[in-house]
Amino acid sequence: MKINPSILSADFSKLADELNAISSADAAHIDVMDNHFVPNLTIGLPVVKRLQQVSPIPLDVHLMIEKVDSEAPKYAQLGVDSITFHLEASESPHELISTLRASGAKVGIALKPGTPFAAVTDFLDEIDMLLIMTVEPGFGGQSLLEETLVKIAQARSYLDTRKSDVILQVDGGVNLSNIGKLSELGANCAVAGIAVFGSGTPSDNISALRRAASHS
Ligand code: DX5
Ligand code: ZN
């Protein structure tokens, strides 16, 4: 299981230090929120640009923004490793995927808890990652919604049947108690905010999450 800590729960006054504290992780998950697609506002292009310059690990950018068709390509041009956009926010997903790809970024599509898996099947051949939100996007520190688990199993079975290597990422409420179950259901990349930055040492928390995922 890949572990991508979400810096939403990090100390925003010292993001470079926080990125160094998670250098053992697979990638840093960067939550971009515009206060329109979700009722919260985080960071935008200039900050992500600096994070990309100083990060010791790849950046996994999760865009929770409304005008994604025009804005997402600007993030891809920063050279970040991957860009994930919400299917609910894009008017022309096929076109957006190819624009992002042309910038050299890996591409992910995210689904809110209420969006069925069937909505994304047309795009799976074109993307690198499917993000199944396990909470309503907008805030860190929420509890995982049990009703989203069936979608993970559904996605895993669909991808395996087609021998697809699309990464299955889960985001929201992931912790030591449920990461084993998420791994069993077929997720192979977990975002974790509070579970990494909440208490203790981020690097120890990352190791503990990896162990818990493999001992399911
Ligand atoms: C929520 C964000 C998540 C969030 C996860 O909208 O997309 O990445 O930071 O935080 P935890 O792990 O604390 O639920
Ligand atoms: Zn996220």
Side-chain angles (χ1 to χ4, degrees), residues 104-166:
K106 294 177 193 140
V107 181
I109 289 185
L111 302 181
K112 290 165 79 169
T115 305
F117 172 68
V120 80
T121 50
D122 273 359
F123 307 100
L124 290 175
D125 284 346
E126 300 164 36
I127 62 176
D128 301 284
M129 183 160 83
L130 171 63
L131 165 52
I132 296 191
M133 289 301 302
T134 40
V135 298
E136 284 300 337
F139 299 92
Q142 305 180 72
S143 299
L144 180 141
L145 298 168
E146 294 286 323
E147 63 265 31
T148 61
L149 298 182
V150 60
K151 211 193 297 185
I152 302 167
Q154 214 180 344
R156 173 47 60 210
S157 138
Y158 188 97
L159 294 171
D160 284 355
T161 305
R162 285 156 185 83
K163 298 193 178 0
S164 165
D165 58 4
V166 165

Tab-separated table of all heavy atoms in Angstrom, residues 104-166:
chain	number	residue	atom	x	y	z
A	104	GLY	N	2.941	16.078	-19.265
A	104	GLY	CA	3.800	15.075	-18.639
A	104	GLY	C	3.322	14.621	-17.274
A	104	GLY	O	4.014	13.848	-16.602
A	105	ALA	N	2.154	15.078	-16.834
A	105	ALA	CA	1.656	14.666	-15.511
A	105	ALA	C	0.880	13.357	-15.627
A	105	ALA	O	0.265	13.082	-16.657
A	105	ALA	CB	0.753	15.747	-14.936
A	106	LYS	N	0.930	12.582	-14.536
A	106	LYS	CA	0.015	11.451	-14.437
A	106	LYS	C	-1.350	12.046	-14.110
A	106	LYS	O	-1.432	13.121	-13.497
A	106	LYS	CB	0.439	10.494	-13.325
A	106	LYS	CG	1.763	9.819	-13.607
A	106	LYS	CD	2.173	8.943	-12.423
A	106	LYS	CE	3.623	8.537	-12.561
A	106	LYS	NZ	4.350	8.569	-11.281
A	107	VAL	N	-2.399	11.326	-14.484
A	107	VAL	CA	-3.740	11.883	-14.309
A	107	VAL	C	-4.618	10.970	-13.463
A	107	VAL	O	-4.666	9.755	-13.679
A	107	VAL	CB	-4.408	12.110	-15.688
A	107	VAL	CG1	-5.803	12.722	-15.510
A	107	VAL	CG2	-3.551	13.007	-16.567
A	108	GLY	N	-5.296	11.590	-12.498
A	108	GLY	CA	-6.252	10.856	-11.680
A	108	GLY	C	-7.630	11.478	-11.793
A	108	GLY	O	-7.765	12.676	-12.068
A	109	ILE	N	-8.648	10.660	-11.580
A	109	ILE	CA	-10.017	11.171	-11.485
A	109	ILE	C	-10.545	10.809	-10.109
A	109	ILE	O	-10.379	9.663	-9.644
A	109	ILE	CB	-10.935	10.589	-12.583
A	109	ILE	CG1	-10.553	11.175	-13.949
A	109	ILE	CG2	-12.402	10.900	-12.280
A	109	ILE	CD1	-11.480	10.761	-15.086
A	110	ALA	N	-11.174	11.790	-9.452
A	110	ALA	CA	-11.751	11.572	-8.121
A	110	ALA	C	-13.270	11.521	-8.193
A	110	ALA	O	-13.884	12.234	-8.990
A	110	ALA	CB	-11.318	12.705	-7.187
A	111	LEU	N	-13.839	10.676	-7.338
A	111	LEU	CA	-15.296	10.567	-7.233
A	111	LEU	C	-15.737	10.904	-5.817
A	111	LEU	O	-15.221	10.343	-4.844
A	111	LEU	CB	-15.761	9.134	-7.535
A	111	LEU	CG	-15.403	8.534	-8.897
A	111	LEU	CD1	-15.977	7.111	-8.984
A	111	LEU	CD2	-15.930	9.391	-10.048
A	112	LYS	N	-16.699	11.822	-5.684
A	112	LYS	CA	-17.279	12.115	-4.374
A	112	LYS	C	-18.074	10.886	-3.913
A	112	LYS	O	-18.469	10.052	-4.747
A	112	LYS	CB	-18.212	13.327	-4.487
A	112	LYS	CG	-17.474	14.636	-4.719
A	112	LYS	CD	-18.393	15.736	-5.189
A	112	LYS	CE	-19.179	16.336	-4.051
A	112	LYS	NZ	-19.877	17.581	-4.478
A	113	PRO	N	-18.364	10.800	-2.614
A	113	PRO	CA	-19.100	9.628	-2.115
A	113	PRO	C	-20.411	9.348	-2.856
A	113	PRO	O	-20.771	8.194	-3.073
A	113	PRO	CB	-19.355	9.979	-0.645
A	113	PRO	CG	-18.194	10.853	-0.279
A	113	PRO	CD	-17.915	11.676	-1.512
A	114	GLY	N	-21.100	10.397	-3.312
A	114	GLY	CA	-22.398	10.185	-3.961
A	114	GLY	C	-22.321	9.857	-5.438
A	114	GLY	O	-23.343	9.552	-6.067
A	115	THR	N	-21.128	9.894	-6.031
A	115	THR	CA	-20.998	9.617	-7.468
A	115	THR	C	-20.741	8.132	-7.678
A	115	THR	O	-19.789	7.582	-7.123
A	115	THR	CB	-19.838	10.448	-8.076
A	115	THR	OG1	-20.068	11.824	-7.784
A	115	THR	CG2	-19.724	10.242	-9.571
A	116	PRO	N	-21.581	7.473	-8.471
A	116	PRO	CA	-21.408	6.023	-8.650
A	116	PRO	C	-20.157	5.670	-9.455
A	116	PRO	O	-19.712	6.465	-10.292
A	116	PRO	CB	-22.674	5.604	-9.412
A	116	PRO	CG	-23.160	6.842	-10.078
A	116	PRO	CD	-22.726	8.002	-9.224
A	117	PHE	N	-19.643	4.490	-9.207
A	117	PHE	CA	-18.460	4.013	-9.937
A	117	PHE	C	-18.721	4.014	-11.450
A	117	PHE	O	-17.836	4.337	-12.244
A	117	PHE	CB	-18.084	2.604	-9.454
A	117	PHE	CG	-17.011	1.980	-10.269
A	117	PHE	CD1	-15.714	2.483	-10.235
A	117	PHE	CD2	-17.286	0.909	-11.112
A	117	PHE	CE1	-14.707	1.932	-11.019
A	117	PHE	CE2	-16.294	0.346	-11.894
A	117	PHE	CZ	-15.003	0.853	-11.846
A	118	ALA	N	-19.938	3.674	-11.856
A	118	ALA	CA	-20.262	3.585	-13.289
A	118	ALA	C	-19.971	4.891	-14.033
A	118	ALA	O	-19.693	4.869	-15.237
A	118	ALA	CB	-21.736	3.210	-13.458
A	119	ALA	N	-19.978	6.004	-13.336
A	119	ALA	CA	-19.745	7.296	-13.996
A	119	ALA	C	-18.337	7.418	-14.564
A	119	ALA	O	-18.094	8.212	-15.473
A	119	ALA	CB	-19.995	8.432	-13.000
A	120	VAL	N	-17.407	6.618	-14.045
A	120	VAL	CA	-15.998	6.802	-14.425
A	120	VAL	C	-15.477	5.756	-15.418
A	120	VAL	O	-14.385	5.882	-15.950
A	120	VAL	CB	-15.109	6.850	-13.150
A	120	VAL	CG1	-14.804	5.453	-12.600
A	120	VAL	CG2	-13.820	7.609	-13.386
A	121	THR	N	-16.276	4.728	-15.681
A	121	THR	CA	-15.743	3.602	-16.457
A	121	THR	C	-15.261	4.012	-17.856
A	121	THR	O	-14.280	3.472	-18.356
A	121	THR	CB	-16.750	2.437	-16.563
A	121	THR	OG1	-18.001	2.962	-16.987
A	121	THR	CG2	-16.918	1.732	-15.235
A	122	ASP	N	-15.902	4.987	-18.466
A	122	ASP	CA	-15.497	5.445	-19.801
A	122	ASP	C	-14.101	6.054	-19.841
A	122	ASP	O	-13.552	6.242	-20.920
A	122	ASP	CB	-16.455	6.559	-20.280
A	122	ASP	CG	-17.658	5.981	-20.974
A	122	ASP	OD1	-17.722	4.751	-21.096
A	122	ASP	OD2	-18.527	6.778	-21.385
A	123	PHE	N	-13.576	6.405	-18.675
A	123	PHE	CA	-12.310	7.141	-18.642
A	123	PHE	C	-11.137	6.291	-18.134
A	123	PHE	O	-9.994	6.725	-18.169
A	123	PHE	CB	-12.450	8.391	-17.748
A	123	PHE	CG	-13.627	9.249	-18.147
A	123	PHE	CD1	-14.816	9.181	-17.452
A	123	PHE	CD2	-13.534	10.091	-19.243
A	123	PHE	CE1	-15.905	9.954	-17.837
A	123	PHE	CE2	-14.617	10.865	-19.641
A	123	PHE	CZ	-15.811	10.795	-18.944
A	124	LEU	N	-11.431	5.088	-17.643
A	124	LEU	CA	-10.399	4.308	-16.949
A	124	LEU	C	-9.216	3.918	-17.828
A	124	LEU	O	-8.111	3.744	-17.335
A	124	LEU	CB	-11.019	3.067	-16.290
A	124	LEU	CG	-11.931	3.378	-15.086
A	124	LEU	CD1	-12.598	2.106	-14.577
A	124	LEU	CD2	-11.157	4.050	-13.961
A	125	ASP	N	-9.450	3.784	-19.131
A	125	ASP	CA	-8.346	3.426	-20.026
A	125	ASP	C	-7.385	4.588	-20.237
A	125	ASP	O	-6.298	4.409	-20.780
A	125	ASP	CB	-8.881	3.013	-21.405
A	125	ASP	CG	-9.468	1.621	-21.370
A	125	ASP	OD1	-9.216	0.906	-20.376
A	125	ASP	OD2	-10.191	1.261	-22.324
A	126	GLU	N	-7.819	5.767	-19.853
A	126	GLU	CA	-7.016	6.969	-20.161
A	126	GLU	C	-6.291	7.536	-18.949
A	126	GLU	O	-5.536	8.488	-19.077
A	126	GLU	CB	-7.937	8.066	-20.720
A	126	GLU	CG	-8.657	7.676	-21.991
A	126	GLU	CD	-9.825	8.602	-22.281
A	126	GLU	OE1	-9.735	9.808	-22.012
A	126	GLU	OE2	-10.856	8.092	-22.761
A	127	ILE	N	-6.560	6.997	-17.758
A	127	ILE	CA	-5.995	7.618	-16.551
A	127	ILE	C	-5.033	6.680	-15.814
A	127	ILE	O	-4.969	5.481	-16.093
A	127	ILE	CB	-7.109	8.097	-15.582
A	127	ILE	CG1	-7.967	6.919	-15.097
A	127	ILE	CG2	-7.967	9.166	-16.250
A	127	ILE	CD1	-9.017	7.309	-14.056
A	128	ASP	N	-4.297	7.257	-14.862
A	128	ASP	CA	-3.319	6.491	-14.084
A	128	ASP	C	-3.859	6.128	-12.705
A	128	ASP	O	-3.363	5.204	-12.066
A	128	ASP	CB	-2.056	7.346	-13.868
A	128	ASP	CG	-1.453	7.761	-15.192
A	128	ASP	OD1	-0.816	6.913	-15.824
A	128	ASP	OD2	-1.656	8.924	-15.607
A	129	MET	N	-4.834	6.914	-12.236
A	129	MET	CA	-5.280	6.713	-10.854
A	129	MET	C	-6.770	7.038	-10.719
A	129	MET	O	-7.263	7.977	-11.345
A	129	MET	CB	-4.455	7.632	-9.944
A	129	MET	CG	-4.766	7.484	-8.481
A	129	MET	SD	-3.418	8.130	-7.474
A	129	MET	CE	-3.823	9.864	-7.483
A	130	LEU	N	-7.447	6.219	-9.924
A	130	LEU	CA	-8.841	6.503	-9.578
A	130	LEU	C	-8.866	6.779	-8.079
A	130	LEU	O	-8.393	5.965	-7.282
A	130	LEU	CB	-9.720	5.284	-9.911
A	130	LEU	CG	-11.164	5.361	-9.415
A	130	LEU	CD1	-11.913	6.522	-10.070
A	130	LEU	CD2	-11.894	4.035	-9.708
A	131	LEU	N	-9.381	7.953	-7.713
A	131	LEU	CA	-9.469	8.326	-6.301
A	131	LEU	C	-10.913	8.187	-5.842
A	131	LEU	O	-11.802	8.896	-6.324
A	131	LEU	CB	-8.976	9.769	-6.104
A	131	LEU	CG	-9.311	10.456	-4.776
A	131	LEU	CD1	-8.912	9.612	-3.586
A	131	LEU	CD2	-8.603	11.802	-4.692
A	132	ILE	N	-11.122	7.268	-4.930
A	132	ILE	CA	-12.448	7.116	-4.340
A	132	ILE	C	-12.451	7.856	-3.003
A	132	ILE	O	-11.732	7.478	-2.070
A	132	ILE	CB	-12.803	5.624	-4.181
A	132	ILE	CG1	-12.876	5.035	-5.593
A	132	ILE	CG2	-14.110	5.446	-3.405
A	132	ILE	CD1	-13.440	3.677	-5.704
A	133	MET	N	-13.234	8.932	-2.938
A	133	MET	CA	-13.314	9.705	-1.694
A	133	MET	C	-14.102	8.899	-0.667
A	133	MET	O	-15.221	8.451	-0.940
A	133	MET	CB	-14.028	11.041	-1.937
A	133	MET	CG	-13.249	12.059	-2.745
A	133	MET	SD	-11.661	12.551	-2.045
A	133	MET	CE	-12.126	13.185	-0.440
A	134	THR	N	-13.504	8.758	0.512
A	134	THR	CA	-14.166	8.008	1.577
A	134	THR	C	-14.758	8.946	2.639
A	134	THR	O	-15.255	8.494	3.667
A	134	THR	CB	-13.181	6.985	2.195
A	134	THR	OG1	-11.887	7.591	2.307
A	134	THR	CG2	-13.044	5.770	1.299
A	135	VAL	N	-14.699	10.258	2.352
A	135	VAL	CA	-15.445	11.278	3.118
A	135	VAL	C	-15.934	12.292	2.088
A	135	VAL	O	-15.478	12.285	0.951
A	135	VAL	CB	-14.567	12.029	4.167
A	135	VAL	CG1	-14.019	11.088	5.217
A	135	VAL	CG2	-13.434	12.811	3.487
A	136	GLU	N	-16.837	13.182	2.504
A	136	GLU	CA	-17.197	14.302	1.626
A	136	GLU	C	-15.977	15.217	1.558
A	136	GLU	O	-15.428	15.590	2.603
A	136	GLU	CB	-18.394	15.077	2.194
A	136	GLU	CG	-19.747	14.401	2.031
A	136	GLU	CD	-20.142	14.145	0.564
A	136	GLU	OE1	-19.631	14.839	-0.333
A	136	GLU	OE2	-20.956	13.229	0.344
A	137	PRO	N	-15.532	15.570	0.346
A	137	PRO	CA	-14.343	16.411	0.261
A	137	PRO	C	-14.550	17.770	0.912
A	137	PRO	O	-15.658	18.284	0.939
A	137	PRO	CB	-14.111	16.548	-1.249
A	137	PRO	CG	-15.392	16.182	-1.895
A	137	PRO	CD	-16.081	15.233	-0.972
A	138	GLY	N	-13.492	18.316	1.450
A	138	GLY	CA	-13.558	19.663	2.027
A	138	GLY	C	-12.750	19.832	3.296
A	138	GLY	O	-12.164	20.873	3.522
A	139	PHE	N	-12.714	18.788	4.121
A	139	PHE	CA	-12.052	18.935	5.417
A	139	PHE	C	-11.305	17.662	5.803
A	139	PHE	O	-11.758	16.559	5.493
A	139	PHE	CB	-13.083	19.266	6.509
A	139	PHE	CG	-13.795	20.567	6.240
A	139	PHE	CD1	-14.985	20.586	5.536
A	139	PHE	CD2	-13.233	21.774	6.651
A	139	PHE	CE1	-15.621	21.795	5.239
A	139	PHE	CE2	-13.860	22.986	6.366
A	139	PHE	CZ	-15.051	22.997	5.664
A	140	GLY	N	-10.199	17.859	6.525
A	140	GLY	CA	-9.484	16.729	7.093
A	140	GLY	C	-10.147	16.314	8.399
A	140	GLY	O	-11.041	17.009	8.898
A	141	GLY	N	-9.719	15.197	8.941
A	141	GLY	CA	-10.160	14.782	10.263
A	141	GLY	C	-11.584	14.259	10.364
A	141	GLY	O	-12.126	14.134	11.461
A	142	GLN	N	-12.218	13.914	9.240
A	142	GLN	CA	-13.570	13.342	9.292
A	142	GLN	C	-13.479	11.813	9.412
A	142	GLN	O	-12.435	11.228	9.169
A	142	GLN	CB	-14.343	13.673	8.018
A	142	GLN	CG	-14.435	15.147	7.672
A	142	GLN	CD	-15.230	15.349	6.384
A	142	GLN	OE1	-16.453	15.191	6.358
A	142	GLN	NE2	-14.531	15.682	5.303
A	143	SER	N	-14.622	11.194	9.759
A	143	SER	CA	-14.646	9.725	9.831
A	143	SER	C	-14.994	9.132	8.477
A	143	SER	O	-15.857	9.663	7.769
A	143	SER	CB	-15.698	9.251	10.838
A	143	SER	OG	-15.382	9.753	12.093
A	144	LEU	N	-14.335	8.038	8.162
A	144	LEU	CA	-14.599	7.334	6.899
A	144	LEU	C	-16.068	6.923	6.805
A	144	LEU	O	-16.641	6.437	7.786
A	144	LEU	CB	-13.685	6.111	6.830
A	144	LEU	CG	-13.763	5.214	5.619
A	144	LEU	CD1	-12.367	4.751	5.227
A	144	LEU	CD2	-14.648	4.012	5.885
A	145	LEU	N	-16.660	7.142	5.633
A	145	LEU	CA	-18.064	6.769	5.413
A	145	LEU	C	-18.114	5.308	4.946
A	145	LEU	O	-17.642	4.986	3.846
A	145	LEU	CB	-18.693	7.673	4.343
A	145	LEU	CG	-18.752	9.179	4.654
A	145	LEU	CD1	-19.121	9.978	3.410
A	145	LEU	CD2	-19.757	9.438	5.781
A	146	GLU	N	-18.703	4.461	5.784
A	146	GLU	CA	-18.745	3.013	5.487
A	146	GLU	C	-19.391	2.708	4.133
A	146	GLU	O	-19.014	1.762	3.456
A	146	GLU	CB	-19.539	2.283	6.587
A	146	GLU	CG	-18.891	2.298	7.953
A	146	GLU	CD	-17.686	1.356	8.064
A	146	GLU	OE1	-17.741	0.266	7.456
A	146	GLU	OE2	-16.710	1.728	8.737
A	147	GLU	N	-20.366	3.539	3.747
A	147	GLU	CA	-21.081	3.252	2.500
A	147	GLU	C	-20.207	3.412	1.253
A	147	GLU	O	-20.615	3.026	0.160
A	147	GLU	CB	-22.353	4.116	2.388
A	147	GLU	CG	-22.119	5.618	2.312
A	147	GLU	CD	-22.210	6.311	3.677
A	147	GLU	OE1	-21.872	5.671	4.686
A	147	GLU	OE2	-22.619	7.483	3.715
A	148	THR	N	-18.996	3.993	1.420
A	148	THR	CA	-18.110	4.144	0.260
A	148	THR	C	-17.296	2.872	0.006
A	148	THR	O	-16.686	2.721	-1.048
A	148	THR	CB	-17.130	5.331	0.451
A	148	THR	OG1	-16.319	5.073	1.601
A	148	THR	CG2	-17.870	6.650	0.634
A	149	LEU	N	-17.289	1.952	0.975
A	149	LEU	CA	-16.440	0.763	0.860
A	149	LEU	C	-16.837	-0.123	-0.320
A	149	LEU	O	-15.976	-0.699	-0.991
A	149	LEU	CB	-16.467	-0.048	2.168
A	149	LEU	CG	-15.921	0.681	3.407
A	149	LEU	CD1	-15.950	-0.238	4.617
A	149	LEU	CD2	-14.502	1.203	3.171
A	150	VAL	N	-18.135	-0.202	-0.568
A	150	VAL	CA	-18.604	-1.060	-1.653
A	150	VAL	C	-18.058	-0.576	-3.006
A	150	VAL	O	-17.759	-1.371	-3.907
A	150	VAL	CB	-20.156	-1.169	-1.632
A	150	VAL	CG1	-20.814	0.186	-1.796
A	150	VAL	CG2	-20.665	-2.123	-2.687
A	151	LYS	N	-17.877	0.744	-3.120
A	151	LYS	CA	-17.356	1.298	-4.376
A	151	LYS	C	-15.901	0.881	-4.596
A	151	LYS	O	-15.457	0.681	-5.726
A	151	LYS	CB	-17.478	2.825	-4.336
A	151	LYS	CG	-17.699	3.443	-5.711
A	151	LYS	CD	-17.506	4.939	-5.720
A	151	LYS	CE	-18.507	5.657	-4.828
A	151	LYS	NZ	-18.359	7.143	-4.973
A	152	ILE	N	-15.162	0.738	-3.501
A	152	ILE	CA	-13.755	0.315	-3.615
A	152	ILE	C	-13.707	-1.121	-4.157
A	152	ILE	O	-12.951	-1.424	-5.083
A	152	ILE	CB	-13.039	0.399	-2.250
A	152	ILE	CG1	-13.100	1.829	-1.705
A	152	ILE	CG2	-11.593	-0.076	-2.359
A	152	ILE	CD1	-12.705	1.939	-0.240
A	153	ALA	N	-14.538	-1.967	-3.584
A	153	ALA	CA	-14.575	-3.362	-4.018
A	153	ALA	C	-15.014	-3.461	-5.489
A	153	ALA	O	-14.456	-4.246	-6.271
A	153	ALA	CB	-15.519	-4.154	-3.124
A	154	GLN	N	-15.991	-2.656	-5.831
A	154	GLN	CA	-16.513	-2.631	-7.201
A	154	GLN	C	-15.407	-2.203	-8.184
A	154	GLN	O	-15.215	-2.835	-9.227
A	154	GLN	CB	-17.612	-1.569	-7.219
A	154	GLN	CG	-18.780	-1.813	-8.116
A	154	GLN	CD	-19.772	-0.645	-7.990
A	154	GLN	OE1	-19.727	0.164	-7.057
A	154	GLN	NE2	-20.665	-0.567	-8.950
A	155	ALA	N	-14.681	-1.164	-7.813
A	155	ALA	CA	-13.605	-0.655	-8.670
A	155	ALA	C	-12.507	-1.707	-8.798
A	155	ALA	O	-12.002	-1.980	-9.891
A	155	ALA	CB	-13.037	0.633	-8.093
A	156	ARG	N	-12.131	-2.341	-7.680
A	156	ARG	CA	-11.068	-3.349	-7.718
A	156	ARG	C	-11.446	-4.485	-8.651
A	156	ARG	O	-10.652	-4.948	-9.461
A	156	ARG	CB	-10.782	-3.838	-6.286
A	156	ARG	CG	-9.824	-5.011	-6.165
A	156	ARG	CD	-8.555	-4.865	-6.999
A	156	ARG	NE	-7.754	-3.707	-6.648
A	156	ARG	CZ	-6.980	-3.035	-7.522
A	156	ARG	NH1	-6.887	-3.422	-8.797
A	156	ARG	NH2	-6.294	-1.980	-7.134
A	157	SER	N	-12.689	-4.951	-8.532
A	157	SER	CA	-13.104	-6.079	-9.349
A	157	SER	C	-13.120	-5.684	-10.837
A	157	SER	O	-12.657	-6.443	-11.702
A	157	SER	CB	-14.450	-6.580	-8.816
A	157	SER	OG	-15.325	-6.879	-9.836
A	158	TYR	N	-13.604	-4.498	-11.134
A	158	TYR	CA	-13.641	-4.015	-12.528
A	158	TYR	C	-12.225	-3.911	-13.104
A	158	TYR	O	-11.953	-4.358	-14.217
A	158	TYR	CB	-14.331	-2.647	-12.558
A	158	TYR	CG	-14.607	-2.114	-13.943
A	158	TYR	CD1	-15.859	-2.276	-14.546
A	158	TYR	CD2	-13.618	-1.431	-14.656
A	158	TYR	CE1	-16.122	-1.775	-15.811
A	158	TYR	CE2	-13.870	-0.933	-15.933
A	158	TYR	CZ	-15.119	-1.101	-16.497
A	158	TYR	OH	-15.371	-0.612	-17.755
A	159	LEU	N	-11.308	-3.333	-12.316
A	159	LEU	CA	-9.931	-3.135	-12.804
A	159	LEU	C	-9.226	-4.477	-12.996
A	159	LEU	O	-8.527	-4.685	-13.987
A	159	LEU	CB	-9.138	-2.254	-11.826
A	159	LEU	CG	-9.612	-0.793	-11.702
A	159	LEU	CD1	-8.893	-0.090	-10.553
A	159	LEU	CD2	-9.387	-0.032	-13.013
A	160	ASP	N	-9.412	-5.390	-12.040
A	160	ASP	CA	-8.753	-6.694	-12.141
A	160	ASP	C	-9.260	-7.476	-13.340
A	160	ASP	O	-8.490	-8.126	-14.050
A	160	ASP	CB	-8.965	-7.511	-10.856
A	160	ASP	CG	-8.072	-6.998	-9.729
A	160	ASP	OD1	-7.242	-6.094	-9.987
A	160	ASP	OD2	-8.206	-7.496	-8.590
A	161	THR	N	-10.557	-7.434	-13.572
A	161	THR	CA	-11.134	-8.148	-14.707
A	161	THR	C	-10.496	-7.685	-16.014
A	161	THR	O	-10.275	-8.467	-16.931
A	161	THR	CB	-12.661	-7.906	-14.759
A	161	THR	OG1	-13.198	-8.285	-13.511
A	161	THR	CG2	-13.327	-8.696	-15.859
A	162	ARG	N	-10.171	-6.417	-16.073
A	162	ARG	CA	-9.579	-5.854	-17.294
A	162	ARG	C	-8.056	-5.792	-17.242
A	162	ARG	O	-7.435	-5.147	-18.084
A	162	ARG	CB	-10.165	-4.470	-17.551
A	162	ARG	CG	-11.579	-4.587	-18.079
A	162	ARG	CD	-12.412	-3.374	-17.821
A	162	ARG	NE	-13.779	-3.624	-18.263
A	162	ARG	CZ	-14.697	-4.259	-17.549
A	162	ARG	NH1	-14.404	-4.720	-16.347
A	162	ARG	NH2	-15.906	-4.473	-18.033
A	163	LYS	N	-7.481	-6.436	-16.225
A	163	LYS	CA	-6.020	-6.413	-16.024
A	163	LYS	C	-5.468	-4.987	-16.071
A	163	LYS	O	-4.427	-4.710	-16.679
A	163	LYS	CB	-5.308	-7.300	-17.053
A	163	LYS	CG	-5.699	-8.768	-16.961
A	163	LYS	CD	-4.748	-9.614	-17.768
A	163	LYS	CE	-4.980	-11.101	-17.742
A	163	LYS	NZ	-6.089	-11.622	-16.957
A	164	SER	N	-6.198	-4.086	-15.471
A	164	SER	CA	-5.802	-2.679	-15.476
A	164	SER	C	-4.884	-2.389	-14.292
A	164	SER	O	-5.102	-2.891	-13.195
A	164	SER	CB	-7.046	-1.794	-15.370
A	164	SER	OG	-6.681	-0.470	-15.038
A	165	ASP	N	-3.841	-1.597	-14.543
A	165	ASP	CA	-2.948	-1.243	-13.438
A	165	ASP	C	-3.213	0.175	-12.914
A	165	ASP	O	-2.359	0.780	-12.268
A	165	ASP	CB	-1.473	-1.435	-13.819
A	165	ASP	CG	-1.091	-0.608	-15.031
A	165	ASP	OD1	-1.944	0.159	-15.523
A	165	ASP	OD2	0.068	-0.721	-15.487
A	166	VAL	N	-4.393	0.691	-13.180
A	166	VAL	CA	-4.789	1.993	-12.622
A	166	VAL	C	-4.705	1.909	-11.088
A	166	VAL	O	-5.185	0.946	-10.487
A	166	VAL	CB	-6.231	2.362	-13.072
A	166	VAL	CG1	-6.809	3.497	-12.233
A	166	VAL	CG2	-6.236	2.748	-14.544
